[in-house]
Amino acid sequence: MTISLDQAVPDFSAPATGGAFRLAEQRGKTVVLYFYPKDNTPGCTTEAMNFRDQYGDFLDADAVVFGISRDSMKSHENFKAKLELPFELISDSDEAICTLFDVIKMKKMYGKEVRGIERSTFVVDRKGILRHAMRGIKVPNHVDEVLQIVRSL
């Protein structure tokens, strides 16, 4: 099952930096879930730093941000510490959350087809309803766009 716009996002839980994550515990806040391919890669590092640098603006808009990838908890802990990220990273090593949001795609890497996460961001409103889905995004200006969406809710 994948979710659609204007539908409730089913509750899910997963290991995360700072302790286990559970979506239902975020009710009452706008939740930004950004899916990225891999810790410590150039685009993913830039995206994480952009969310880090504007995190205060998300908090001011009563929103929380979570990064999600298939990386291990150890990788996430190191990535978070290295970049001094103020938000938590969720480990989806079994791809359950990736499947729910339909972000696993066939991608070309060095001329070969590989399964990977399509860089995507989802905004869930205070009641748990999916309000925005941004797929196949490019890193430049993306965080600014997400912040505008959050402020408009």
Side-chain angles (χ1 to χ4, degrees), residues 16-28:
T17 56
F21 171 87
R22 185 159 179 232
L23 183 62
E25 293 172 355
Q26 305 305 317
R27 291 276 152 74

Side-chain angles (χ1 to χ4, degrees), residues 15 26 29-30 39-40 50 55 66 77 85 96 102-103 106 111 123 130 144:
Q26 305 305 317
K29 298 177 202 136
T30 300
D39 291 342
N40 293 303
N50 290 345
Y55 192 64
F66 296 92
E77 293 287 357
L85 301 178
D102 191 29
V103 297
M106 292 306 292
V123 179
L130 180 64
D144 294 327

